[in-house]
Amino acid sequence: MMNTWIAGSVVAVIAGITGFFAVLRGSTFAAHAIPNGAFAGAAGAGLLGINVLWGLAVFAVGGALGIGLLGSEGRGRKGRHDVVTALTLVVMLGLGALFVSVSTQYAEETYSLLFGEVFGVSRTEVLPIVGLGIAAAIAIGVAFRPLMLTSALPEVAEARGVSNRRVELYFLIVMALATSMTVPVVGALLMFSLMIGPAAAARSVTARPGAAMALSVAIALATVWLSIALSYRTNWPLGFFVGVIGAAFYLVGLGARALAGHSVRGAVGA
């Protein structure tokens, strides 16, 4: 259980940080596509008898490059970017279906990659996850200002010589590497819900970047900790609690924002 708490906490921090920029940049579809598409790489690696982490990393980075390079021209056109993301996801999932269909003993591994095995984390898996968390946090910190500028004011960023295309590609690769190491632990579906739910809830409460990112991490940690405790007590799937608690936090954030807006309008009217 100690390994479970450590791994879950690190994954929550990674998800809270990367999810904040995914929501801010409107890249939530990519945050869904990359970990789910990377599942195909793990399926292929399992079929070849090699470490699934290599397959996850190759397909995650490949998917990120495909989305970033083919969809970068549509940075200001949301429709084109979504089409490229959808096509990339479809291709990777198609390959995953092929790899699974020709395997005769992959059902259990497939389930664990989709929904995770957070209660089966070994001590040897904890250190790579911690290392990944540190690397992802450093990568985001190094590019924090360009990421913020291209997210909030892309035209101003271009005028100042900051390439929106390069920053987008950089962020997608960081997100790909972050998810590739955590998918075997928390699952592709769980990683997506952890990325988007807490970040969206934080953004609904405050518009200040630093406060929103910190709140996103705090909500992600609270979601994971509550989910682990409830799953352990009830023997229900961890992913169920993560999805429900994440949605609940988001609804609470929307309610708090609505109440704050109503109070402001009341004060102005008075």
Side-chain angles (χ1 to χ4, degrees):
M1 286 302 296
M2 182 61 67
N3 295 333
T4 296
W5 286 106
I6 295 173
S9 299
V10 173
V11 167
V13 172
I14 296 173
I17 294 174
T18 57
F20 166 77
F21 282 105
V23 171
L24 185 63
R25 300 176 68 83
S27 300
T28 54
F29 192 15
H32 168 71
I34 290 175
N36 281 274
F39 148 79
L47 183 62
L48 295 174
I50 62 178
N51 194 320
V52 296
L53 293 179
W54 289 107
L56 282 167
V58 169
F59 268 65
V61 174
L65 290 173
I67 294 171
L69 295 175
L70 297 178
S72 59
E73 295 180 2
R75 182 74 181 117
R77 295 173 289 173
K78 185 65 176 174
R80 174 182 170 84
H81 198 270
D82 283 349
V83 168
V84 171
T85 303
L87 290 175
T88 303
L89 174 61
V90 166
V91 170
M92 291 195 293
L93 287 181
L95 290 173
L98 173 64
F99 297 151
V100 171
S101 67
V102 297
S103 175
T104 58
Q105 49 183 10
Y106 201 69
E108 184 177 347
E109 290 84 352
T110 301
Y111 182 86
S112 66
L113 287 173
L114 288 175
F115 300 100
E117 287 187 345
V118 72
F119 289 110
V121 180
S122 65
R123 184 173 299 178
T124 58
E125 293 175 311
V126 172
L127 286 179
I129 294 173
V130 173
L132 173 69
I134 295 173
I138 292 175
I140 293 294
V142 168
F144 182 81
R145 290 179 66 86
L147 280 170
M148 284 300 307
L149 187 59
T150 55
S151 300
L153 300 169
E155 294 83 6
V156 175
E158 288 287 356
R160 293 186 177 183
V162 180
S163 173
N164 288 317
R165 181 177 183 178
R166 291 180 181 177
V167 173
E168 175 76 358
L169 192 59
Y170 177 88
F171 173 68
L172 289 174
I173 292 175
V174 170
M175 184 164 59
L177 292 175
T179 57
S180 65
M181 285 291 289
T182 53
V183 164
V185 178
V186 298
L189 301 179
L190 176 57
M191 190 62 191
F192 169 69
S193 60
L194 262 183
M195 271 191 182
I196 304 306
R203 286 278 297 160
S204 66
V205 174
T206 178
R208 297 171 57 189
M213 181 180 292
L215 184 58
S216 175
V217 172
I219 294 175
L221 285 169
T223 300
V224 168
W225 291 343
L226 284 172
S227 298
I228 291 174
L230 291 173
S231 179
Y232 180 78
R233 295 290 296 178
T234 63
N235 203 30
W236 288 9
L238 180 72
F240 165 75
F241 290 109
V242 169
V244 170
I245 293 173
F249 272 120
Y250 179 61
L251 292 176
V252 169
L254 289 179
R257 184 172 66 178
L259 288 175
H262 180 73
S263 300
V264 170
R265 288 193 297 270
V268 172

